[in-house]
Amino acid sequence: RETIINSQLDVQKVGFEANIIENHDEPRGASRFLPAYARNPAGVKMLGTVSVLLRGIPFIYQGQEIGMENCRFDSIDEYDDISTKEEYRVCLEMGCDEKKALELAYTFSRDNARTPVQWTGGSNAGFTTGTPWMKVNPDYKRINLESQLDNKDSVYNFYKKMISIYKEPKYHEILTFGEFIPYKRNQKNLISYFRQVENKKILVMVNFQKQPQCVEIPGMTGQIILDNTDRSMMDIIKAAGIDGNRKNGINIELAGYEALVIELI
């Protein structure tokens, strides 16, 4: 959180930065930034929300939009990355046993983001009818594009929703040029920020813990722009015990791993 906030505040003084969760030289974001209990569709959507709606240029790496995860290789011989092989060798020389060194490779190797994209639940994840240059992640039957295309609640279709928000004339300017303003910076396990331009303001709130937590919303909202739990504004108002609109702010309860993006008025 502090890395994101400080980077955003510094760079927006002079320009735009490239916002990434993962690339070809990084482990998969779902495995790197989410605890084991949040490595599920809700958690992956939450992580994507934090990154894509920041000020700057969002980059979405192949497979990120379906929630691909790190790949567990059975031996160092299955890795292709020369850096991973060298780091494995150094680990052994420093006293790590093979099991520990292989676990470190699973956690940090660049090859995690280089396994074939998982198109289907079929042979070789639908990537090729031949022999792929690298092992296909064994989780391809659980995580693949084919299974998510027609599922409106899938990670893939959530990413499509986020991208479509940028194209809406109502939100294009604020999400492209709007200022980044941290909100509730010290609230535990919460990443929250405003995007603001002139009198338009959007609030992004993401609960990074398993348990629900309460967050105060300043003012009232025109509408929910995005939510990975499919709640409506009326649901929030009812849960807060409020009848009708109120401009002094309300306290709402974010569910575990919930990502909520609202337009404030």
Side-chain angles (χ1 to χ4, degrees), residues 55-165:
R55 188 179 188 278
I57 304 168
F59 284 79
I60 300 172
Y61 180 71
Q62 56 188 34
Q64 176 185 323
E65 75 281 11
I66 61 172
M68 284 181 62
E69 299 177 354
N70 283 359
C71 179
R72 193 172 290 281
F73 293 87
D74 296 323
S75 75
I76 193 62
D77 294 332
E78 291 185 322
Y79 282 95
D80 183 66
D81 178 33
I82 57 174
S83 177
T84 299
K85 292 177 180 290
E86 175 63 13
E87 289 163 0
Y88 179 85
R89 182 189 65 78
V90 171
C91 282
L92 296 182
E93 288 183 355
M94 297 298 292
C96 282
D97 59 31
E98 291 185 5
K99 182 178 179 181
K100 176 65 174 177
L102 200 61
E103 185 66 21
L104 290 171
Y106 164 71
T107 303
F108 298 109
S109 175
R110 300 185 297 186
D111 276 349
N112 284 303
R114 299 174 180 180
T115 58
V117 171
Q118 293 155 213
W119 296 99
T120 74
S123 177
N124 289 327
F127 183 80
T128 180
T129 56
T131 302
W133 78 89
M134 189 182 296
K135 175 179 176 177
V136 175
N137 195 322
D139 67 7
Y140 72 92
K141 291 184 180 295
R142 176 174 61 90
I143 302 174
N144 64 75
L145 176 62
E146 183 181 52
S147 66
Q148 296 189 28
L149 280 174
D150 297 324
N151 178 359
K152 68 181 181 63
D153 296 322
S154 69
V155 172
Y156 173 74
N157 281 306
F158 187 82
Y159 264 87
K160 286 182 68 176
K161 289 179 185 176
M162 283 197 291
I163 294 169
S164 70
I165 290 173

Side-chain angles (χ1 to χ4, degrees), residues 7-44:
S7 175
Q8 286 278 298
L9 292 177
D10 285 344
V11 174
Q12 72 179 356
K13 300 172 185 175
V14 293
F16 290 88
E17 58 188 345
N19 299 317
I20 69 163
I21 293 176
E22 58 194 49
N23 62 31
H24 66 288
D25 278 333
E26 303 286 346
R28 288 290 179 179
S31 300
R32 182 180 185 183
F33 298 115
L34 295 175
Y37 58 75
R39 290 171 195 165
N40 52 46
V44 174

Side-chain angles (χ1 to χ4, degrees), residues 102-243:
L102 200 61
E103 185 66 21
L104 290 171
Y106 164 71
T107 303
F108 298 109
S109 175
R110 300 185 297 186
D111 276 349
N112 284 303
R114 299 174 180 180
T115 58
V117 171
Q118 293 155 213
W119 296 99
T120 74
S123 177
N124 289 327
F127 183 80
T128 180
T129 56
T131 302
W133 78 89
M134 189 182 296
K135 175 179 176 177
V136 175
N137 195 322
D139 67 7
Y140 72 92
K141 291 184 180 295
R142 176 174 61 90
I143 302 174
N144 64 75
L145 176 62
E146 183 181 52
S147 66
Q148 296 189 28
L149 280 174
D150 297 324
N151 178 359
K152 68 181 181 63
D153 296 322
S154 69
V155 172
Y156 173 74
N157 281 306
F158 187 82
Y159 264 87
K160 286 182 68 176
K161 289 179 185 176
M162 283 197 291
I163 294 169
S164 70
I165 290 173
Y166 273 92
K167 297 181 179 181
E168 290 189 34
K170 185 177 182 180
Y171 304 121
H172 177 73
E173 182 181 11
I174 189 170
L175 290 177
T176 304
F177 302 106
E179 183 182 3
F180 170 91
I181 305 171
Y183 181 64
K184 298 292 182 183
R185 187 169 181 170
N186 297 317
Q187 185 163 335
K188 187 177 180 181
N189 296 331
L190 178 76
I191 295 181
S192 184
Y193 57 86
F194 296 109
R195 297 298 310 282
Q196 181 172 344
V197 59
E198 297 179 348
N199 61 339
K200 297 179 181 179
K201 184 181 290 187
I202 288 173
L203 176 60
V204 178
M205 296 183 293
V206 177
N207 181 14
F208 262 81
Q209 66 185 30
K210 186 187 299 186
Q211 302 78 18
Q213 65 169 309
C214 287
V215 183
E216 179 186 4
I217 298 181
M220 259 325 284
T221 173
Q223 66 180 43
I224 292 177
I225 300 173
L226 193 68
D227 182 22
N228 66 342
T229 66
D230 200 27
R231 285 204 289 175
S232 69
M233 198 59 215
M234 188 55 65
D235 293 333
I236 291 176
I237 291 173
K238 288 180 178 179
I242 298 171
D243 295 322

